Amino acid sequence: MLRGYLFLLVILALIGSPVHSATATAQDIDVAFSDVKLRELGYPEVRIHVGPDGVDAPSRLDAGFYLISFSSEGDYAGYMDIVQPPAGLDEATATELALAAGRDDLAQPGWTYVGGTNTFEKGVPVSFAVYLKPGEYSIAASYYLEDSEEIMKLVPLTVTGTATPVAGSPAASPAASPTASPVAANAPEADVTLEMTDNLEYIVSPGVVPAGPQIWEITNTGMHHSHHVVMFGVPDGVTAEDIIAEFSALFAGTPPSESSISASMMPAGYAALQSGGQTTWNEFDLTPGTYAVICFIIDIETGRPHLMDGMVTTFTVE
């Protein structure tokens, strides 16, 4: 699914809403991904592409900050996340569990999710910045076939070098890389911060977000839950409580009306699954209005999406 948006479309289709169609394509979606300010940071670019020929990505990098640029083929969204599966999994099992996390919002116990993104148009890249520490990772990347089947690929990535702390950042390494040379630099200076917590809440600061391209520092400050960010434009005056109440009714099988919130929600942005302690820097170019961030990740213990337990926050852009 289009990471939250197709989730919404499918729910609406299943309950017979006349407002949306689950066959909506990426061309119907007006998202706010941007990379103008991220590219000014001067981080080396790592290009990742997924399609029928597999994943085109580096297999080795040195520790440091990178601008990840992700593109995909297929009729719907592409998806990627930089992950660390637990030891001992065979490739088939690891790939299936990565698919469950990306497609079904089922975060897997024992996995570390560093962060990633989603594409909304074939061949058009989406970028985010991340600091990669030394270690063994996998790039989980997927695309969709015409019949909406999602194809997940999992390829290894080794990050080498000894991380050298730099003020304001986790670390950096000046070592050279065959594909990209990381820079010893500070972390991006964020215009907006978004914290995801173990209390199942988002904290957006400032409360009123400036319009236009802004760098968002997205951090999971908890340790027990993995979260993602699915951002929608919503009608002015809508509150988090309104959204929770409507989705609770949707899950209970109550059809929405043409004037319902869900009928008016439009996707604005996305940041992929992150484990506790992980940070990415994403850029969104938002127009004035009201927005909501929602977590659709299924709680391992309760079996319910985090949004059902309150993980929804609204904010204003001016």
Side-chain angles (χ1 to χ4, degrees):
M1 59 187 174
L2 291 183
R3 306 297 164 247
Y5 185 56
L6 277 187
F7 171 89
L8 176 60
L9 295 182
V10 169
I11 289 294
L12 291 169
L14 287 175
I15 59 181
S17 168
V19 180
H20 286 296
S21 166
T23 60
T25 65
Q27 286 70 32
D28 300 319
I29 302 172
D30 182 20
V31 292
F33 290 120
S34 178
D35 63 1
V36 175
K37 300 178 80 169
L38 285 176
R39 290 189 177 278
E40 293 175 350
L41 299 172
Y43 296 160
E45 183 176 7
V46 173
R47 297 178 182 177
I48 299 173
H49 180 80
V50 64
D53 294 331
V55 179
D56 183 11
S59 60
R60 196 173 191 87
L61 292 170
D62 288 320
F65 285 100
Y66 291 95
L67 179 68
I68 307 295
S69 182
F70 174 60
S71 60
S72 65
E73 297 182 43
D75 296 282
Y76 298 106
Y79 169 84
M80 69 145 292
D81 205 338
I82 301 170
V83 302
Q84 291 180 305
L89 291 180
D90 61 78
E91 182 179 357
T93 300
T95 301
E96 184 62 30
L97 293 177
L99 178 61
R103 181 191 61 197
D104 304 324
D105 297 329
L106 294 171
Q108 302 298 318
W111 286 60
T112 296
Y113 302 97
V114 177
T117 191
N118 205 76
T119 62
F120 283 85
E121 188 173 350
K122 180 179 179 178
V124 177
V126 175
S127 300
F128 66 98
V130 67
Y131 180 82
L132 294 177
K133 301 177 183 178
E136 296 296 328
Y137 300 83
S138 291
I139 297 171
S142 66
Y143 67 99
Y144 282 80
L145 298 178
E146 292 183 0
D147 59 1
S148 299
E149 179 186 1
E150 185 172 5
I151 307 299
M152 174 65 72
K153 304 289 186 179
L154 206 63
V155 297
L157 170 65
T158 298
V159 178
T160 61
T162 302
T164 303
V166 175
S169 68
S173 168
S177 165
T179 55
S181 298
V183 291
N186 291 336
E189 183 175 344
D191 304 298
V192 182
T193 61
L194 186 153
E195 295 180 41
M196 302 178 285
T197 78
D198 277 343
N199 293 328
L200 302 185
E201 63 180 351
Y202 295 107
I203 302 173
V204 177
S205 182
V208 177
V209 174
Q214 307 293 339
I215 295 177
W216 287 58
E217 180 180 300
I218 299 175
T219 302
N220 186 341
T221 57
M223 294 304 297
H224 302 296
H225 297 286
S226 295
H227 303 294
H228 63 185
V229 174
V230 185
M231 185 184 299
F232 293 96
V234 298
D236 290 342
V238 167
T239 67
E241 290 75 17
D242 295 332
I243 295 170
I244 293 168
E246 180 158 315
F247 271 92
S248 296
L250 288 175
F251 278 104
T254 302
S257 67
E258 293 190 10
S259 60
S260 64
I261 299 169
S262 55
S264 303
M265 293 171 66
M266 288 300 297
Y270 178 79
L273 197 58
Q274 289 179 222
S275 298
Q278 304 299 321
T279 299
T280 61
W281 291 265
N282 303 63
E283 185 176 330
F284 303 115
D285 183 357
L286 300 173
T287 58
T290 303
Y291 294 82
V293 283
I294 301 175
C295 186
F296 292 94
I297 298 302
I298 307 299
D299 189 273
I300 295 174
E301 295 183 357
T302 67
R304 304 186 337 153
H306 286 166
L307 79 91
M308 303 290 286
D309 291 310
M311 197 160 184
V312 180
T313 295
T314 59
F315 63 94
T316 302
V317 174
E318 293 183 356

